[in-house]
Amino acid sequence: FTANVSHELKTPLTSIMGYAEIIAGGIAKPEDVAPFAGKIRTEAQRLLALIEDIIHLSRLDEGGETVAFEPVELSALCDTVRDRLQSKAAGKGIALRIEGGPAAVSGQRRTLEQMIFNLTDNAINYNKPQGSVTLTTGTESGRPFVQVSDTGIGIAPEHQSRVFERFYRVDKSHSKASGGTGLGLSIVKHAVQYHHGDIRLTSKPGEGTVIRITFPAAAQ
């Protein structure tokens, strides 16, 4: 993990240093300064996102943040996530939908929201043009669940058991283009475990992916 983190941190830093040295050394043409500065900003944002994910994952590894569990409505979190990602989805021509009904769980609101956000963001990044992402909530056999399904590129069977590993990427070039840190699904897995839930992935290459998270029955 340390070796992977070092590599992932070094990549954007090397890019930032390279562009900064060209500008500082006066080598860059005047018309290139703004684009180079833009690239520095993009890599810095990527670096910040990676650091935030590492901190979040470390807290989950240590047993979670010192925030008490509270009643949380998953459908309300889906509404919040849709609002946060609606612009990104629209920019890619992806329809973002919410279906289902109430699904109350006991948990940490911020961690649960981040979990749904990561799944939805991933579903948008690996979708097809004019595709869709559907967030579904409800209760099955007394257990609340949230499900994120997409019409994207899907995941080959040999990769499905590994996509929740840290820094594991099915398509490294696609991940880099989308700005992924390689930790999003790992954070999802740890968040589910922290809330004593179960996660199930179903996918077919070219037909999309469905990830369902089921939580323990709410205490009466």
Side-chain angles (χ1 to χ4, degrees):
F1 178 65
T2 302
N4 282 332
V5 167
S6 299
H7 173 75
E8 294 293 336
L9 291 173
K10 185 177 180 180
T11 302
L13 278 173
T14 300
S15 180
I16 289 170
M17 285 293 293
Y19 286 117
E21 286 174 358
I22 292 173
I23 295 173
I27 302 173
K29 298 176 182 178
E31 62 269 24
D32 290 334
V33 172
F36 284 178
K39 291 181 183 295
I40 290 174
R41 183 172 183 270
T42 298
E43 292 298 324
Q45 288 175 327
R46 179 182 170 197
L47 189 61
L48 180 60
L50 178 60
I51 291 171
E52 289 175 344
D53 277 355
I54 291 170
I55 292 171
H56 196 169
L57 195 55
S58 296
R59 286 172 178 165
L60 290 172
D61 277 344
E62 293 169 1
E65 300 171 90
T66 55
V67 179
F69 276 27
E70 61 178 316
V72 179
E73 176 52 59
L74 294 177
S75 60
L77 292 187
C78 288
D79 287 335
T80 300
V81 169
R82 178 182 58 182
D83 291 343
R84 291 175 63 188
L85 287 172
Q86 186 68 62
S87 177
K88 178 176 181 176
K92 292 177 175 287
I94 308 296
L96 199 50
R97 307 188 183 101
I98 293 180
E99 298 179 350
V105 302
S106 177
Q108 292 181 351
R109 183 178 302 275
R110 188 170 72 171
T111 300
L112 291 169
E113 181 181 329
Q114 187 65 40
M115 178 190 72
I116 298 172
F117 179 93
N118 286 2
L119 288 177
T120 307
D121 189 50
N122 218 51
I124 293 171
N125 287 336
Y126 289 89
N127 219 307
K128 298 176 182 177
Q130 309 307 314
S132 65
V133 176
T134 303
L135 282 64
T136 307
T137 56
T139 304
E140 189 175 75
S141 301
R143 299 182 64 186
F145 71 86
V146 59
Q147 176 176 292
V148 178
S149 56
D150 65 63
T151 58
I153 60 177
I155 304 169
E158 63 267 25
H159 295 296
Q160 292 181 17
S161 64
R162 301 195 61 191
V163 293
F164 294 100
E165 295 179 12
R166 300 173 188 191
F167 295 115
Y168 185 82
R169 292 182 173 95
V170 176
D171 184 344
K172 293 183 179 180
S173 61
H174 191 119
S175 296
K176 184 176 181 180
S178 65
T181 65
L183 291 174
L185 290 182
S186 184
I187 289 174
V188 168
K189 183 188 75 172
H190 280 67
V192 172
Q193 292 174 341
Y194 186 68
H195 287 85
H196 309 292
D198 302 312
I199 188 166
R200 185 178 71 215
L201 181 150
T202 306
S203 184
K204 289 184 179 181
E207 297 183 17
T209 300
V210 177
I211 297 180
R212 173 178 284 217
I213 297 169
T214 305
F215 297 89
Q220 298 298 317

